[in-house]
Amino acid sequence: MSEAVAVAVAERFRELYGADPDGVWAAPGRVNLIGEHTDYNDGFVMPFALPHVAVAAVARRADGVLRLHSADIEGGVVELRLDELAPQSDRNWTAYPAGVVWALREAGHDVTGADVHLTSSVPTGAGLSSSAALEVVVALALNDLYALDLKGWQLARLCQRAENVYVGAPTGIMDQTASACCETGHALFLDTRDLSQRQIPFDLAAEGMRLLVVDTRVKHAHSDGEYGKRRAGCEKGAALLGVDALRDVPYDGLDAALERLADEEEVRRLVRHVVTEDERVERVVSLLEEGDTRAIGPVLTEGHASLRDDFRISCPELDLVVDTALSAGALGARMTGGGFGGSAIVLAQAADVDTLTKAVEEAFAAAGFTAPRVFEAVPSAGARRIS
C-alpha cells in the first residue's frame, strides 16, 4: 500500500478535525480460498488477505465522544457519545466502528473517545469482508493508541462481537481473524474452535498460476435473514445429532449422521455441506503443503457444487462465472463469501487469465447481467500501522 494513501488520509483528517491524527492504520479485506459457512460450526477455514484495505486516520479523545467520517459515503462527520452506544441502535455504516468501541468498553477497556476518518478500497457487498476490514482497522488503531496490548486474535474476537451483537449480523470469526492475522504470500489455516492458526505458503505467481476474483456486482447483505436461517439450521442439525457443533460429525461418519436426519431434508443438506467442506479444507492444506497447488482446483469446484446444491446460497451470476471459467480452461472455480451474490474465485494458469476474463465478461453480456469486475487476488499483509 502506497505511502501516498497514508499521507492523503492524514491530510483529510486534518481538514475535518483541525489537528493531526495520532497515526494511520490499514486492515485488508479477504478472499476465502476454501471453507465456507464452516466458521460458525466450529470448523476449518482458509482465507487470505487482499491488497484492498480499509484505512483509518485516528486520534484519541478524552471526553467520551466518538466522531466518525468516511470518504466513501456522502455526509459530514457523525458525532456519537460513548455512554449512549447501544446494540442495534444504528442501521448506518457507523455501526461498524461504533460497535468496535462499544465492544472494547464492554470488555473493560478504558477507551475514552476518538476522532476517526476512514476510506476503503475493499469492494462493498462483494463477499470480500469490507465490514470486517472496517472493524479491524478501528480496533487496531484503538489498541495501539490506548496501549491495550491485545493480540490479533483477541481483536478479531472483539470485532466479531461488535458485528454479532451491536450490528446484529450473525457472522462467524473468520473474516475478522483474516483481516487481523494474515501474512503476505500465505493463506491462513484457521481452526475456528480454538483459534489455532497455521500460515500456509501460497505463492501462485511463483508457480505460473493466478487466482482471479470475479465480483458479480450482485449485492448481498448478511443481516437480511438468509444467512441467519442457514446458521439456525446448522445449529438444529448439531442438536439433533447430539454434538456441540457440526465440526464434531466425523467425515467417515457422515452417512450414518444423515441417516439419523432422514425426516429433516433441509437440515440434512446443511449438515452434508459443512462436514464435507471441513474435509475439503484439510485436503487443500495437505495439497499445498505437498507443493501440489494445481490439484486444489477440483477441490474448489467441488466446494461450489456443495454451496450451490446443498447450502443453496449461489445465484445465476455466480454459477455462470464458475461454469464459464471451467469451460474456458480454469483449473477450478467456486463462489466465495456468504453467498446470494458477491464474488467467485477462479484458479487459472497465468497464460489463460486474459482468455478466461474475456469469456466471463462475454457470458455476462450475453445473459444481460451487469458487467462483472475481475481482478487478481494476491495474498497480502494483515492489519498494520502505516504511519
Side-chain angles (χ1 to χ4, degrees), residues 55-140:
V55 181
V58 184
R60 282 180 55 152
R61 296 179 67 97
D63 59 358
V65 169
L66 175 65
R67 294 196 293 181
L68 301 168
H69 183 268
S70 170
D72 309 313
I73 294 163
E74 280 191 30
V77 173
V78 177
E79 185 168 313
L80 304 168
R81 290 210 55 82
L82 301 191
D83 54 13
E84 294 173 0
L85 297 179
Q88 299 187 48
S89 60
D90 185 350
R91 294 294 171 198
N92 300 306
W93 71 269
T94 47
Y96 295 97
V100 169
V101 176
W102 172 85
L104 284 166
R105 286 165 56 85
E106 281 282 297
H109 301 293
D110 188 22
V111 176
T112 55
D115 287 338
V116 181
H117 170 59
L118 290 152
T119 188
S120 180
S121 60
V122 185
T124 58
L128 303 174
S129 298
S130 57
S131 58
L134 207 59
E135 293 156 1
V136 170
V137 75
V138 171
L140 181 62

Side-chain angles (χ1 to χ4, degrees), residues 286-302:
S286 295
L287 289 167
L288 290 177
E289 289 187 328
E290 290 162 9
D292 194 3
T293 305
R294 283 177 61 93
I296 75 170
V299 189
L300 303 184
T301 306
E302 277 178 42

Side-chain angles (χ1 to χ4, degrees), residues 313-383:
I313 57 170
S314 190
C315 66
E317 292 86 350
L318 288 167
D319 292 340
L320 184 60
V321 174
V322 172
D323 294 344
T324 303
L326 293 172
S327 297
L331 300 170
R334 74 173 191 89
M335 59 157 285
T336 187
F340 310 106
S343 298
I345 55 174
V346 178
L347 182 68
Q349 299 280 31
D352 295 337
V353 165
D354 290 345
T355 304
L356 287 167
T357 300
K358 188 178 179 201
V360 169
E361 289 171 345
E362 287 178 350
F364 267 57
F369 295 153
T370 301
R373 177 180 180 220
V374 184
F375 59 92
E376 186 182 344
V378 180
S380 301

